[in-house]
Amino acid sequence: MQTVTLKVEGMSCGHCVNSVEGAVREVGAEGKVNLSAGEVTVAFDESKVTLQAIKAAIEEQGYDVA
């Protein structure tokens, strides 16, 4: 299991938190958003999902992953 913290730009409310955490969950990872820091901490199994797939899922929701 790998844990990574990603900087996510464009999050500003509870809906944003739900969108990002839901997108991460859909690709098979677990994410916890820190809204005030503009970050999401993601835990995932590298044998099941790639970091690139997680970033793409977040970006599909309309947010920028730095």
Side-chain angles (χ1 to χ4, degrees), residues 4-59:
V4 178
T5 299
L6 302 171
K7 195 78 167 158
V8 180
E9 298 173 355
M11 297 186 299
S12 61
C13 64
H15 178 266
C16 299
V17 171
N18 292 337
S19 293
V20 170
E21 289 180 354
V24 170
R25 205 170 20 257
E26 287 220 357
V27 294
E30 285 299 318
K32 181 69 179 157
V33 170
N34 180 335
L35 190 57
S36 61
E39 297 175 340
V40 59
T41 301
V42 182
F44 63 100
D45 183 343
E46 308 94 315
S47 68
K48 296 181 180 176
V49 63
T50 65
L51 184 56
Q52 195 57 39
I54 294 167
K55 288 179 179 180
I58 294 169
E59 289 174 344

